[in-house]
Amino acid sequence: MIHRIWWRIAWRNLWRSRRRTLLTASALAFGFVASVLMIGYMDGIVEEMVANGTRVVTGQVRIHAEGYEPERSIHDTMGGREGLDVEALLAAVETRNGVVGAAPRLYGGGLLSSGDETVGGVLVGVDPAREAAVSRFASALVEGRMPAPGEIAMGDGMAETVAVGMGDEVVLVAPAADGSTGNDLFTVSGIFSVGVGALDDSYALLEMGSLAELMAMDPGRIHEVAIAVEDIREPEPAAAAIREAVAGIAPGLRTEPWSIFQDQLYFMVNYVGAVNVYVAAFIFGMAAFGVANAMLLATFERRREFAVVRALGTPGGAIGRIVVYEGLLLGLISLGAGVLLAAPLMVYIHENPIDLSRYVGTYSFAGSAVRPLLTVEYSWAGPLASGLALVATGIVSALLPAWRAVRVPPADALANR
Amino acid sequence: MATNAATRSAADRAGPDGPADHAVRTEALWKIYPQEPRPVEAVRGVDLTVERGEFVAMAGPSGSGKTTVLNLLGGLTRPTRGKVWIDGLELSALPDRKLAAVRQNHIGFVFQSYNLLPMLTALENAEFTLMLQGVPARERRERVLRLFHEIGLEGMEHRRPFKLSGGQQQRVAVARAVLGAPALVLADEPTANLDSTTAEALLDVMQQLNRDKGTTFVFSTHDPRVMKRAGRLIRLVDGRIAEDVVRGGG
C-alpha cells in the first residue's frame, strides 16, 4: 500500500524535468535499438553461416561407422563389410521428430578424364530423390539434372577443368573395395555451383548404384547418412533422438551433430555469441554512465526534498527506493520507445536486406559460403536480452544516486549547505 | 530585562521528574561544527524542558543557534554532547531507522520555506505522514479534508504547491505537521515569508491547534507577532539560553 506512494513520487519526479527524462530515455532507447539490430545482424550472419555450412553438403546431423573419420577409408562402411538394411535405417531416422530428411551416401575418390584433361575428385554416390531434402546440390544445378544410373553431375569448376559440358562423356577411374581399380564411362547430366570453391572444383555426384558398382561394393554398404533437421542452430536434441533410434539397427554407428563435425563453425558461432554479449555490455555500459550522470544531477537538485521527507520520518531505505524506482521506470519507458523504434527497423531490414557482395564479393569460411548481406534475423533472444539489459541499466544507474540520496544529511540540506 | 512574566532558569525547569513527563527535555546540549580555522560552537550547553501543550517561541539574532536547537530537537542532526528526550525517548542513543520512526510518530515539522513536495498535491502532501504511519486511505482522506475545512483550505486539495499562495502552502505544511498527531511540532521561522495578514491567520491556525488538540509547538522566530502570541519566550544568544520567560496563556 505504502509502496504505491513511492512509485507515484518516482513517476512524477521523472516528468518534472521532461526534457532531461526524454533525452536520457532516448539515449537508452537508441542503445536498445543498436543492441537489438547488432545482435540481429550477427545472428543473421551466424544463421547464414550455419545454413551454408550444413545445408550445402553435410546436413546438420550425420551417421557414420565408428572409426570412419578421420581416415574416411572406403572399407569403413556402416554395418561393417556386410553393410546394413539401408531402408530400415533411413525409416528409423526419418520418423524422428524434428527430422526433415535423410540421404544415404557412398564416398570414393577418383580421376575424371575427358580428352587430354584429368582432374582428381571426390565421388559421391547419392540417392537423388532423397538428396534434395538434405543438400543444395539439386537446387544449385545451373544446368541439367541430378544423375541417373550411368550419369554424373559435377561442380562447375571441375567441369571447366576437364572442359566438359552437358551430354559430354567422362572416364572415371577409382580404387575399388576389392583391391582392383574400377573404371567406366559416364555422361554429364548436370553441372552445379554451390558457391563453395572447394566443392565446385572437386565434387562429382553419381547415382548410388553406379558408384557402388564402380567401387565393387555391395548395395547395402554406405559410408554416411546425412540428415537435415528443423532446428539447424540446435541440432543436439534431434541427434540424441536419432542416436537412440538407430542403436538397434547396426552396431558401431556414430551419430554426430554439426557442432562436432563442423567444429570451426561451432567455434565461430560461439565466438559471435560471446562478442554479442561484450558489445551489448559496452553499449549499455556507456548508456549507464550517461543515465547515472543525469540521475546524479537530478538527485543533487532534490537534496532539499530528500531532507524534507527524511524530516517527516521516511526511512532512508524508502528514499533510496524512490530513486531506484525512477531508474526502473526510466528503463521501462526507454524499453517501450526502443521497441517502437526497433520493431519496424528490424522488419524493414529483414525484408529488404542490403546485399554488399557487389562491394566485397563472396567468400567461404569453415566450408561455408558467406554472402555479405546486411540483414537481421528475427529472434526473441536478442530483443529479450537487450530489454533485460536496458532495464537493468536503468536500475544499476540509479544505485549510486540512490545511495547519495539516502546519505543526504537532512539538517545541512535544509539549510542549503 | 524588563518583563511582567515569570523568568526561570533552565535548571529550574528541568525539575526532579523524569524526561518521560515532558514533551521536550535536553541536558547539557552541545553542537560543535568542525570548521577551519576554528570549530563553531552553535549550541553551548542548552538545558531545556518543554511541557506538553506549551506554545514556545525561541528568539535570538541570526547565528544564535535557534535552527540548530530545532534540528537537534527534531533528530535531524546529532548533538556533539548532551542528550535530547522527545516524549520520553532519548534521541541521541537511537539508530537512524528508529530516529526516523520517532520523527514519523512524535514530531511534526514546519519550515520557513514551506518545503512541500512539489510532485504531490496539497492533499497528498498533508497526508504524507499519515501514510508513513500506515493509516488507511479512507481515514487519511477524512482527516485531511476535516482539517482543510478547519484551516480554510477547502477546494485546494488537488492543487500542486506551485498553484497555492505562500500562506496556503504554509497552512498545508502545518496540516502535514499536525495530522500525524505528534507530541511536538517544531516550526522554523514559519511566518518569515508571509505578509502580516497571512502570518496572523497562520498563527491563528496554529494557536487553535495548540488549544484544541493540545499539540506542543516550539518555534524559532524573529517575528514579533509570533513572540507576542507565545506562552513562553526563550532568547538564545551565542548558542546559550539567555532568557526563558513564561508569560502564561499563549
Side-chain angles (χ1 to χ4, degrees):
Chain A
M1 181 65 191
I2 192 161
H3 289 287
R4 232 194 277 167
I5 188 67
W6 309 134
W7 282 108
R8 199 184 309 160
I9 289 175
W11 176 254
R12 291 184 190 170
N13 270 336
L14 276 182
W15 300 108
R16 284 167 68 186
S17 181
R18 194 176 294 262
R19 186 179 302 173
R20 183 193 295 157
T21 297
L22 289 177
L23 275 173
T24 313
S26 301
L28 277 174
F30 279 116
F32 173 79
V33 172
S35 173
V36 165
L37 292 184
M38 189 275 303
I39 291 174
Y41 170 64
M42 298 300 259
D43 266 354
I45 290 179
V46 165
E47 191 80 17
E48 175 113 347
M49 283 176 67
V50 173
N52 287 334
T54 63
R55 280 188 178 144
V56 173
V57 182
T58 62
Q60 291 82 46
V61 179
R62 68 183 187 185
I63 309 173
H64 284 156
E66 195 77 58
Y68 178 65
E69 291 283 0
E71 306 297 332
R72 295 177 78 94
S73 159
I74 59 170
H75 302 294
D76 290 334
T77 48
M78 296 162 73
R81 302 212 169 194
E82 289 73 37
L84 44 61
D85 184 344
V86 176
E87 285 306 318
L89 178 69
L90 293 173
V93 171
E94 285 172 339
T95 50
R96 294 300 99 189
N97 277 342
V99 172
V100 175
R105 288 176 186 162
L106 188 65
Y107 286 99
L111 294 173
L112 289 83
S113 304
S114 175
D116 296 336
E117 305 298 337
T118 298
V119 65
V122 177
L123 307 177
V124 188
V126 297
D127 176 342
R130 291 181 184 274
E131 198 63 38
V134 177
S135 70
R136 281 207 186 132
F137 289 122
S139 61
L141 284 166
V142 289
E143 282 186 274
R145 55 179 165 71
M146 292 291 274
E151 293 179 338
I152 186 169
M154 65 183 75
D156 56 357
M158 179 183 267
E160 194 178 330
T161 305
V162 290
V164 294
M166 291 295 298
D168 290 344
E169 291 187 325
V170 292
V171 175
L172 277 191
V173 180
D178 60 2
S180 64
T181 301
N183 62 81
D184 211 338
L185 205 59
F186 288 84
T187 305
V188 177
S189 70
I191 294 173
F192 58 78
S193 175
V194 294
V196 179
L199 300 178
D200 293 331
D201 291 347
S202 63
Y203 266 55
L205 310 180
L206 291 92
E207 186 274 330
M208 178 82 76
S210 299
L211 184 59
E213 196 180 326
L214 183 72
M215 292 170 62
M217 295 180 82
D218 293 332
R221 297 188 70 182
I222 57 172
H223 291 117
E224 177 181 273
V225 173
I227 302 158
V229 298
E230 285 168 2
D231 189 349
I232 69 168
R233 293 281 290 272
E234 300 290 341
E236 283 81 4
I242 292 165
R243 195 174 296 123
E244 195 183 323
V246 303
I249 292 176
L253 297 182
R254 185 178 177 84
T255 305
E256 290 175 334
W258 69 261
S259 50
I260 304 286
F261 62 81
Q262 292 266 48
D263 54 350
Q264 276 186 315
L265 187 59
Y266 186 62
F267 167 81
M268 198 61 195
V269 169
N270 286 336
Y271 172 72
V272 168
V275 168
N276 279 348
V277 170
Y278 277 92
V279 173
F282 179 75
I283 289 173
F284 286 111
M286 295 294 286
F289 279 108
V291 177
N293 185 44
M295 292 194 74
L296 266 177
L297 192 64
T299 307
F300 185 76
E301 287 169 358
R302 283 158 38 207
R303 283 179 90 235
R304 199 179 173 86
E305 287 167 30
F306 291 128
V308 171
V309 293
R310 287 296 295 271
L312 298 177
T314 306
I319 290 167
R321 214 153 43 203
I322 293 173
V323 180
V324 173
Y325 287 171
E326 283 176 34
L328 175 57
L329 289 170
L330 186 66
L332 292 173
I333 292 167
S334 313
L335 180 60
V339 168
L340 288 178
L341 277 171
L345 267 174
M346 272 195 92
V347 171
Y348 180 80
I349 299 174
H350 183 82
E351 298 299 325
N352 304 281
I354 302 163
D355 189 350
L356 302 175
S357 56
R358 82 178 86 159
Y359 306 112
V360 295
T362 58
Y363 66 101
S364 60
F365 175 82
S368 159
V370 178
R371 266 188 313 157
L373 275 185
L374 188 60
T375 184
V376 293
E377 202 57 37
Y378 293 139
S379 85
W380 285 110
L384 196 66
S386 302
L388 287 174
L390 183 147
V391 174
T393 301
I395 295 172
V396 170
S397 307
L399 292 179
L400 177 63
W403 183 74
R404 296 282 289 267
V406 168
R407 291 176 62 84
V408 166
D412 288 354
L414 285 166
N416 287 329
R417 277 200 292 267
Chain B
M1 178 171 290
T3 171
N4 56 0
T7 303
R8 293 187 287 179
S9 72
D12 290 338
R13 291 191 57 78
D17 43 0
D21 300 323
H22 315 290
V24 176
R25 188 174 161 200
T26 71
E27 193 177 278
L29 200 58
W30 282 76
K31 182 68 183 178
I32 302 168
Y33 293 106
Q35 256 180 33
E36 292 297 333
R38 212 177 333 162
V40 175
E41 295 176 343
V43 175
R44 302 196 293 171
V46 167
D47 294 302
L48 172 69
T49 303
V50 177
E51 305 301 341
R52 291 194 170 83
E54 276 196 282
F55 202 71
V56 181
M58 262 195 303
S62 292
S64 61
K66 304 185 295 293
T67 298
T68 307
V69 169
L70 284 193
N71 287 339
L72 289 165
L73 298 186
L76 296 180
T77 188
R78 291 182 185 274
T80 310
R81 286 199 295 273
K83 290 179 177 176
V84 179
W85 288 268
I86 299 294
D87 227 8
L89 295 162
E90 199 215 320
L91 303 192
S92 36
L94 294 177
D96 278 355
R97 194 168 180 80
K98 289 196 172 163
L99 205 52
V102 170
R103 287 199 295 267
Q104 188 185 107
N105 297 303
H106 299 269
I107 304 169
F109 287 93
V110 180
F111 305 97
Q112 177 180 342
S113 46
Y114 326 134
N115 282 337
L116 297 180
L117 299 172
M119 77 299 277
L120 299 181
T121 63
L123 187 143
E124 288 167 340
N125 265 289
E127 69 175 4
F128 192 88
T129 312
L130 294 175
M131 213 155 35
L132 292 176
Q133 291 174 346
V135 176
R138 174 178 281 192
E139 189 186 335
R140 284 200 313 258
R141 298 282 150 128
E142 281 173 7
R143 281 163 71 173
V144 172
L145 292 176
R146 204 179 312 132
L147 185 61
F148 270 26
H149 174 73
E150 287 171 23
I151 63 176
L153 283 173
E154 243 173 353
M156 305 291 160
E157 295 85 359
H158 301 295
R159 290 198 187 177
R160 294 280 182 91
F162 66 89
K163 290 203 167 170
L164 297 172
S165 69
Q168 287 167 337
Q169 287 189 56
Q170 197 60 301
R171 271 182 282 165
V172 173
V174 171
R176 178 177 67 184
V178 301
L179 270 164
L184 170 69
V185 171
L186 299 170
D188 190 10
E189 312 226 18
T191 56
N193 292 341
L194 303 178
D195 61 68
S196 302
T197 314
T198 312
E200 292 289 356
L202 183 79
L203 287 169
D204 287 344
V205 166
M206 293 201 274
Q207 222 160 13
Q208 181 193 334
L209 291 168
N210 169 252
R211 240 186 344 253
D212 298 348
K213 301 187 192 297
T215 310
T216 308
F217 280 83
V218 176
F219 299 86
S220 77
T221 188
H222 282 111
D223 188 342
R225 290 166 301 203
V226 179
M227 294 183 219
K228 200 174 81 190
R229 292 205 192 203
R232 179 176 166 198
L233 181 62
I234 296 167
R235 285 191 189 278
L236 284 178
V237 176
D238 294 335
R240 287 200 169 103
I241 295 179
E243 189 180 35
D244 185 350
V245 182
V246 176
R247 296 189 291 201

